[in-house]
Amino acid sequence: MAGNSFGQIFKVTTFGESHGAALGCIIDGCPAGLRLSVDDLRRDLARRRPGGGGVSTSRKEDDEPEILSGVFEGRALGTPLTIVIHNTAQRSQDYDKLKNVYRPGHADMVWDIKYGFRDYRGGGRSSARETAARVAAGAVARKFLAENEVSIRAWSQSIAGITAPSPNDDEFSLDEAEANEFRIPGRSAAGKIASKIEEIRSAGDSAGGVVECHVNGLPAGLGEPVFDKLDALLSHAVMSIGAVKAIEFGAGFSVSGMRGSECNDRALPLAGSRKTKYLSNNSGGILGGISNGDSLVFRAAFKPVPSIARKQITIDNTGKEIEIEITGRHDVCVCPRAVPVVEAMTALVLADLMLRARADRNVTF
Ligand SMILES: Cc1cc2nc3c(=O)[nH]c(=O)nc-3n(C[C@H](O)[C@H](O)[C@H](O)COP(=O)(O)O)c2cc1C
């Protein structure tokens, strides 16, 4: 099976299945000397864990990371860095009756067609449990970026059709987003979502939503201008997260209805600062595939969780139509738990491009 690695210099390989012994990652290319401990990994892993309440799965994993290699006396050695997270709360019997059945909206059938054999317990490697390994790797990338004054923040921008306040609204608060179970940055939107999610959950159904991500402090000049454009790599990274069906940068799809005069972001006179500022950010901070020094802004749309409690009609592996009822533990909407995953994938792209940028110009050592 190909495609388990991501990145060129800061290169991450993830491993593990939902109901196997463990998941984890190996990072090749982490710069030597970076200060790192398991505490740096715990915060984001805790944010990815189900937060309780009605929106998340009731599967409770400790997600305690263990660093097996690549760190000595609290600093990265520059050697392969291995992180392992043991699975402790598998309940594989929940999946026995799904062994020969294809869950609608899930990867079961296409995995069987492609490989002829699959780990049906919890979706195996197609399960979002794999994202724990991405979040661990992303936390290392984030540490490197923080030392370069780059910060990444994402939040739920909408859930079940209820939209959060925008960053310019008074009610917008990232502290509030971290305090409520939906990661929505406004109290009244969180209240409306709570009753909507309860209604959807009681009906045995699920909901979709949008995660918005902003990166601040990003220097101009990141991104390789042909195939490895910054927006192309971010799209690859974010679209590789399960349930993501679309991504848009800056003004996104709405640019198609704008005039050039509205869409072009005007650069302001430098006025002593070395950092370019702009009057608007319709480009999402990217021009020609290269960061332009403004905030990087994008949104990713997540489909409703495919595993729903209500009865569904599907087929089994003999092609016979059958009715199924999915009894495993599932999220009602993935957005709150996807927020740290989106941040992690963004961090992986940016750390890699920052290291690649060091090779872009002739510099003397
Ligand atoms: C953080 C996160 C949590 C998820 N939780 C669930 C879940 O509890 N149940 C489920 O069926 N799908 C869940 N998904 C979605 C599936 O992983 C995804 O829909 C499935 O692998 C099929 O892939 P596709 O939707 O990208 O085509 C989750 C996804 C993410 C990112």
Side-chain angles (χ1 to χ4, degrees), residues 14-16 23 44-45 48-49 63 85 125-138 240-242 302 337-338 340-342 344-345:
T14 71
F15 59 86
L23 318 117
D44 284 335
L45 283 168
R48 197 208 69 97
R49 260 198 324 255
D63 282 353
I85 300 159
R125 191 148 166 77
S126 73
S127 162
R129 177 109 192 95
E130 182 267 337
T131 61
R134 299 174 185 230
V135 168
S240 77
I241 303 170
F302 287 81
R337 299 183 58 216
V341 184
V342 167
M345 292 312 294

Side-chain angles (χ1 to χ4, degrees), residues 45-301:
L45 283 168
R47 289 170 75 227
R48 197 208 69 97
R49 260 198 324 255
V55 73
S56 300
T57 165
S58 56
R59 176 170 173 174
K60 293 274 178 281
E61 287 282 0
D62 292 338
D63 282 353
E64 178 58 21
E66 189 184 351
I67 299 176
L68 295 186
S69 68
V71 176
F72 179 62
E73 294 182 341
R75 298 170 79 190
L77 284 164
T79 58
L81 204 158
T82 310
I83 302 167
V84 165
I85 300 159
H86 291 276
N87 286 326
T88 56
Q90 305 97 312
R91 241 174 43 193
S92 303
Q93 67 277 13
D94 284 349
Y95 292 88
D96 285 350
K97 64 178 196 266
L98 293 174
K99 187 174 175 181
N100 301 316
V101 175
Y102 299 139
R103 292 170 298 168
H106 235 294
D108 306 342
M109 185 172 73
V110 286
W111 271 59
D112 252 1
I113 293 169
K114 184 172 170 66
Y115 298 105
F117 178 63
R118 71 189 164 98
D119 181 350
Y120 57 85
R121 302 162 309 164
R125 191 148 166 77
S126 73
S127 162
R129 177 109 192 95
E130 182 267 337
T131 61
R134 299 174 185 230
V135 168
V140 180
R142 218 191 228 297
K143 193 81 202 282
F144 167 70
L145 292 167
E147 292 201 352
N148 289 277
E149 289 169 19
V150 176
S151 65
I152 303 170
R153 286 302 296 267
W155 58 88
S156 302
Q157 190 260 342
S158 85
I159 286 182
I162 297 163
T163 307
S166 89
N168 304 324
D169 292 340
D170 290 343
E171 219 210 317
F172 181 89
S173 156
L174 285 177
D175 288 343
E176 172 60 36
E178 288 304 313
N180 67 63
E181 63 168 309
F182 309 110
R183 291 227 156 80
I184 203 100
R187 196 164 291 182
S188 68
K192 283 184 206 149
I193 291 168
S195 32
K196 190 80 187 167
I197 286 291
E198 188 41 41
E199 185 191 314
I200 292 169
R201 201 185 56 74
S202 314
D205 222 328
S206 63
V210 173
V211 170
E212 180 157 338
C213 184
H214 287 216
V215 181
N216 292 318
L218 198 63
L222 296 194
E224 305 299 326
V226 183
F227 294 116
D228 288 353
K229 290 187 160 102
L230 175 53
D231 35 2
L233 291 183
L234 282 168
S235 301
H236 181 177
V238 172
M239 293 291 289
S240 77
I241 303 170
V244 175
K245 293 313 267 182
I247 182 167
E248 62 174 11
F249 294 86
F253 267 59
S254 72
V255 295
S256 60
M258 288 180 178
R259 304 275 164 97
S261 53
E262 282 174 273
C263 189
N264 293 342
D265 300 314
R266 188 172 124 198
L268 297 171
L270 286 179
S273 150
R274 283 178 56 238
K275 205 168 153 31
T276 316
K277 291 201 163 61
Y278 300 83
L279 214 50
S280 56
N281 190 7
N282 294 318
S283 71
I286 304 170
L287 286 171
I290 300 173
S291 58
N292 69 359
D294 206 342
S295 300
L296 176 65
V297 177
F298 69 85
R299 284 166 295 279

Side-chain angles (χ1 to χ4, degrees), residues 105-107 126 128 241-243 302-303 305-307 329-331 334 337-338:
H106 235 294
S126 73
I241 303 170
F302 287 81
K303 76 180 191 184
V305 173
S307 299
R329 297 158 293 174
H330 297 281
D331 296 297
V334 306
R337 299 183 58 216

